[in-house]
Amino acid sequence: GLIIPLGEWIIRTVCRQIKAWADEGLPVVKIGVNLSARQFQTKSIVDSIRTILEETGIDPAYLQLEITESMTMSNNNLIQTLEQLEGLGVHISIDDFGTGHSSLLYLKKFPIQGLKISKEFIQELHEAQNQAIVAAIITMGKHLHLNVTAEGVEYEEQAELLQAMGCDDIQGYLYSKPLPRQQFEQFMMHKTGLPS
């Protein structure tokens, strides 16, 4: 049962950090937080996030909540909960898209703003079949007005191919491994040309 308070602590910590960066005049980026199925099943998830957003005073658009495809099948109140979260102004994405078991019908029904293509497809992007799947996900995402992110990009060739396919965002070790806060701040200042 620790995932409930732990998840709330993570969201609060992320929102406080976003606020601190904004107050310091540093570049603020959207930060994704993975939600567990247990968190989503609690009736208090929307109230909890609303309270955290009010406490920290951040622009909710900088908080991206990520759910998995499997979660879309296991929660009867999912659409209502997602609509309430969308009403708070946060962004919602389906993480590891393409490896779960959800129906494509959900993409039309759910109030989501993004898809994150599973790194399983990106790691083998040199294979024609994976290229076809990734291109189809990107095209579908664009037609549904969703932001499409490729996860797990490690090589320049992958990034170039994804850019040619029209992928919106690319993340992975090609750009940076996970960093402690201070190193991340230096990384962002270097990328944006701000003095460190």
Side-chain angles (χ1 to χ4, degrees), residues 17-18 21 26-31 175-192 196:
Q17 187 60 66
I18 291 170
W21 283 331
L26 296 172
V28 180
V29 294
K30 190 183 302 175
I31 298 181
Y175 302 107
S176 176
K177 293 184 177 182
L179 298 171
R181 180 187 53 82
Q182 290 178 324
Q183 289 181 26
F184 178 74
E185 290 171 0
Q186 293 171 353
F187 173 81
M188 287 301 294
M189 288 189 284
H190 174 72
K191 288 290 181 187
T192 57
S196 21

